[in-house]
């Protein structure tokens, strides 16, 4: 029995006078949306419990305090102390921000996490947001997404021509390059836009989230794999001034809670995606298909071109992309004979 | 500027009288060993910073306080409040413990994490350790390991016959089933055993750790992929009585710190493995080879037999394996068209 030993030695008493803090966290997601919307709630729960209530965080859904696409501005200005969103929504402020969500044909979730935390990625990200007074943290990942929902079959790259498709970030540039017409829409507007024909196709996340949005009611074809977002990382953002005002223990609590949520979101998606996929196929009659090889190859070539163009146009983009590309070359060589080889061997 | 707003409202003052705690954490690894040994140090750092020094944790390498294979007993008895090890070392106490490290041809790291945290795995694990007064937490993952180091080429399943190979957990049973002779050895004894010929082959972890041990100096052939440990999860264990004596905020700090370290270890391995692999190949002339398909198939068949036998022999094993197997069937179906398909598309 532990109680019989004297290991729990040196129980000291400290008396402290401690401030408590009430923070606001704004998000780009509907309140409590599965996965994406759950992550900030889990974060707030972790922080409150670890700080014994000294730091409480009120989470706001998109539009409750600020619109979903104004999260970054709200955190930068101090309207909210924190945000949860996707970094690629801020490409108008800094094109390189897109890289911290995902690159078409880029790294998957395991590789992204390694680059961010052990490959210099986080330092580059912090440098990029510094002028805005915002500190970023990795804030969850969806894993490989689906390629998206289409109203018609995709049999060749020509089928993407003039296709109006909801597509954010660098994927949008690639779609444009192969003749498509990308449209930027917050999640909450996708269903209606697809229903009214304002768009012909959409990517969103994966089976778990897509089922929740009911996208199968307005499109019949569901394609894989998500070439445009092979491991979409979300972000927590913190107002730098607010962060500095916290004592060091609460700063550490934010850092470690974000790190834990970064894994927790992936765990949730991994556990839920397949059941949702089966429901889509078996209950709702959705046709789940792979994009043809030649379409995938054309998208891959276009992606490489887009990345080169973006790097040529913006020095910050070039700097971040250089770090990302070198890391990917390195890590994918090992994953080829570990993860990929294992998937093959297991079949 | 944040400071101009009144968002950081309701700054209250609380006065608390707080105990502080000094804990011991024993491990199965050499002190500060890369990856495995770093994780408990990172954990201790997180806990100390988040608790403002109210909970400090002294980390002991294997043999410093107790031998590497006595970590569980030390935590159970209260000699140490915490441990960091692999659950499969405790198969003598509960055969089902092995499942919480890895199953041959079982789930990879992403899948294991999802099962543990969203598939009922953690509850089964806690139930298993409950009679010992020990609470387990996921404590890091190496990702897919390498199949191991061999002094000769492996061209057929017959080449494994009478082969003395260091192999822990369920992989050892599989090796026995195909005619090999598994040997249980703590990491620190592998190099000398291979050098003296006490063993003919060994698995250890992957390039990053294997290079650190210098295994290339005593074996020429390095095989992939790690069929026996496709995503080896480590564990933090906590003495239940000690845990109960902590206030709730420190309990939460332990829970969330473990969760964060569970990801951090994988990030480190992912970032470091390829450089180590390149050094092994290019600098040290190691031959890196895939196990032949028919060897892999024979091992897979033997693995399924071993799992059935273990389940038939032990009701706890059967219960945990049933949960694991159902989750794997479900999750691997989605990963087939997400992660695996993406690796193919990216090539």
């Amino acid at each position: 029995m532990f109680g019989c030993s004297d290991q729990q030695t040196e129980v000291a008493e400290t008396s402290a006078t401690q401030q408590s803090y009430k923070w606001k966290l704004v998000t780009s997601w509907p309140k409590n949306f599965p996965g994406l919307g759950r992550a900030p709630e889990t974060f707030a729960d972790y922080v409150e419990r670890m700080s014994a209530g000294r730091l409480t965080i009120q989470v706001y859904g998109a539009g409750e305090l600020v619109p979903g696409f104004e999260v970054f501005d709200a955190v930068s200005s101090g309207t909210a102390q924190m945000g949860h969103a996707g970094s690629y929504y801020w490409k108008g402020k800094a094109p390189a921000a897109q890289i911290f969500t995902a690159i078409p044909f880029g790294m998957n979730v395991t590789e992204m996490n390694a680059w961010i935390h052990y490959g210099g990625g986080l330092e580059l990200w912090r440098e990029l947001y510094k002028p805005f007074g915002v500190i970023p943290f990795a804030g969850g990942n969806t894993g490989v997404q689906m390629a998206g929902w289409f109203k018609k079959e995709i049999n060749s790259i020509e089928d993407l021509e003039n296709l109006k498709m909801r597509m954010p970030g660098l994927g949008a540039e690639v779609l444009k390059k192969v003749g498509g017409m990308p449209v930027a829409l917050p999640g909450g507007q996708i269903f209606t836009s697809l229903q009214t024909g304002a768009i012909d196709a959409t990517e969103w996340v994966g089976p778990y989230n897509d089922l929740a949005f009911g996208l199968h009611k307005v499109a019949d074809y569901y394609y894989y794999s998500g070439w445009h977002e092979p491991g979409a990382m979300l972000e927590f953002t913190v107002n730098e001034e607010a962060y500095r005002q916290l004592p060091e223990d609460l700063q550490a609590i934010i850092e470690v809670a974000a790190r834990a949520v970064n894994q927790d979101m992936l765990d949730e998606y991994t556990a839920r995606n397949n059941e949702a996929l089966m429901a889509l196929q078996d209950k709702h009659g959705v046709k789940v298909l792979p994009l043809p090889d030649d379409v995938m190859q054309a998208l891959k070539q276009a992606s490489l071109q887009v990345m080169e163009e973006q790097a040529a146009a913006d020095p910050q983009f070039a700097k971040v992309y250089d770090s990302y590309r070198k890391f990917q070359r390195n890590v994918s060589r090992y994953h080829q004979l570990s993860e990929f080889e294992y998937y093959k061997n297991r079949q």
Side-chain angles (χ1 to χ4, degrees), chain A residues 71-108:
Chain A
V71 165
F72 190 87
D73 283 339
V75 175
S76 179
S77 68
T79 300
Q81 289 85 355
M82 286 192 68
H84 190 255
S87 65
Y88 55 9
Y89 296 151
W90 329 129
K91 67 178 176 181
K93 297 184 189 303
Q98 300 172 95
I99 300 175
F100 297 100
T101 305
I103 283 184
F105 296 92
M107 295 196 271
N108 66 11

Side-chain angles (χ1 to χ4, degrees), chain A residues 95-96 98-99 103 170 303-323 325:
Chain A
Q98 300 172 95
I99 300 175
I103 283 184
L170 292 159
S303 295
L304 291 170
Q305 283 177 39
V306 164
M307 296 309 293
E308 294 301 332
E309 288 166 11
Q310 297 264 335
D314 185 82
Q316 282 181 322
F317 193 103
K319 183 178 175 182
V320 178
Y321 181 50
D322 187 58
S323 165
R325 189 172 42 181

